Each structure stands twice: as C-alpha cells, then as structure tokens.
Amino acid sequence: MKKVLFFFTLLLCFVPKVKADHITGGEIYYTSSAGANGTNTYNVTFKLFMRCNSGRQFNNPTVVSVFDKGTNQRVTDINVNLTSSETIQITSPDPCITDPPNVCYVVGYYNFVLNLPATANGYILSSQVNYRIQGISNFQSFYSNVGATYAAEIPGTPSAQNNSAQFTGSDLVVVCSNNKFSYSFGATDKDGDQLRYSFC
C-alpha cells in the first residue's frame, strides 16, 4: 500500500468578531473496505478536542470536504452530525504544580461512511474550525481570527484499500516551568505503512 501522509496545517480564517477560545486540536482518520461498482467505502472519523466549561458546543452538523488529490478540485461537501462525545481530564497532575489547573477536554466524534469512485489521483478529506483556544502567543496579534484545518489523504488506485494512521496521544498535558517536558505524537497504522512527520 502507498505511504500515508497525515498533515495538520494552521489556516488563517478572517472571520470578523469571532473569539477563538475553545477548540484545542483534532484529527481525521479512516478505515477502508471493498466497495462495489468501481467505488471504495471509507469509515471516517473526525475527532475534535474542546476545552471543558467553554460555554460553547461542537458544530452539529459540521462540514467535511472531499478534494481530488491530483487536481485539488472540490468533489463534494458533506454535512456530518456529531455522533458522540466524551470528557477526559487529568486526575493526578504532576506534583511540580502546587495549584494545578483543571486540564479537561470534551472530545467530539463525527463518524460517517463515505463512498468514493476509484481514481488514480486519490482524495483529500478536510474540515476547518474557526474557534482555536485563546492565548496562542506565537502568532501575530490577530491570532483570535485563526482557525485550523484538519485533513487526511486517501491514496489513489491501486492502493485505495488503505487505512489511515491514527494518533495515540490524549492531548492531556501540563507543563511545569523550568522542568523538562516531552509529549509523544506517536501514531499507529493498521497496515504497517511507513509514517512520516513534518512540522510547519
């Protein structure tokens, strides 16, 4: 099977008077199964992390777009309903913090089945959110208008029967000032494909 490339790209979304204060991360992943009549079937999950007690809700539905990987032309937009959500939080914070913050996320899952015609080009699945978490200080002063784009690539034929990689981390992190810190961005791939990472 072809190598699968997972990428996350920050996208500047110029939306007036929008406060960016609750979406902290996410990913798109899928598994494939044989389709019929020249189509392939994909079980897709779009997963989003939202900080607890933000006073916000996940978009319901949200839009996932499909693009032709060879031409970058939009194939279709899909309205996907929120399937489920769960709350995760740190229950035993690092003892280096004397007054630990409440690190808590609501994780939303959008699950849907996608049938796509077989093509040599392959596809890109993509979704955008406009409400990134407050306090991102390494952007320019208009960071409150910054969103994020989450995407996954589906290889073209003959490797279309592919399963994407999936990140294994939970995003539950507390960093202590002047202490060493590490976080694994590890992922697993059901097909055993080589995984490559890029940072931008």
Side-chain angles (χ1 to χ4, degrees):
M1 290 189 193
K2 270 187 151 182
K3 296 173 185 173
V4 178
L5 175 64
F6 244 70
F7 63 92
F8 289 98
T9 306
L10 289 177
L11 180 70
L12 296 179
C13 298
F14 297 97
V15 180
K17 298 182 183 177
V18 170
K19 282 209 151 201
D21 66 356
H22 69 285
I23 297 295
T24 65
E27 68 176 309
I28 298 177
Y29 53 89
Y30 63 87
T31 58
S32 66
S33 57
N37 302 319
T39 65
N40 294 306
T41 300
Y42 301 93
N43 294 295
V44 183
T45 298
F46 178 30
K47 178 181 177 182
L48 280 178
F49 291 87
M50 176 175 63
R51 71 177 179 86
C52 293
N53 305 314
S54 67
R56 305 275 191 170
Q57 295 181 343
F58 290 113
N59 289 341
N60 194 14
T62 197
V63 177
V64 177
S65 298
V66 180
F67 296 88
D68 183 293
K69 188 178 165 187
T71 65
N72 293 322
Q73 294 295 310
R74 186 188 311 266
V75 175
T76 188
D77 292 325
I78 306 159
N79 288 317
V80 183
N81 290 324
L82 183 68
T83 307
S84 63
S85 64
E86 65 175 329
T87 300
I88 60 174
Q89 60 186 338
I90 291 180
T91 54
S92 300
D94 193 301
C96 71
I97 303 177
T98 55
D99 186 17
N102 179 26
V103 180
C104 176
Y105 299 112
V106 180
V107 186
Y109 297 90
Y110 299 86
N111 299 307
F112 61 101
V113 176
L114 184 58
N115 293 300
L116 294 171
T119 174
N121 288 342
Y123 298 95
I124 295 175
L125 309 180
S126 177
S127 189
Q128 295 181 343
V129 294
N130 295 328
Y131 302 103
R132 289 284 290 159
I133 193 166
Q134 269 186 345
I136 300 176
S137 60
N138 60 337
F139 293 152
Q140 295 182 16
S141 59
F142 54 84
Y143 76 87
S144 61
N145 292 325
V146 172
T149 299
Y150 301 99
E153 292 186 13
I154 297 175
T157 54
S159 301
Q161 295 299 313
N162 182 68
N163 301 287
S164 69
Q166 183 176 344
F167 286 101
T168 57
S170 69
D171 213 25
L172 291 173
V173 175
V174 173
V175 181
C176 294
S177 177
N178 299 318
N179 283 22
K180 291 182 178 179
F181 170 74
S182 66
Y183 179 78
S184 172
F185 287 92
T188 59
D189 187 276
K190 186 177 177 180
D191 305 313
D193 291 335
Q194 179 186 25
L195 301 179
R196 294 181 295 171
Y197 296 83
S198 63
F199 182 78
C200 58

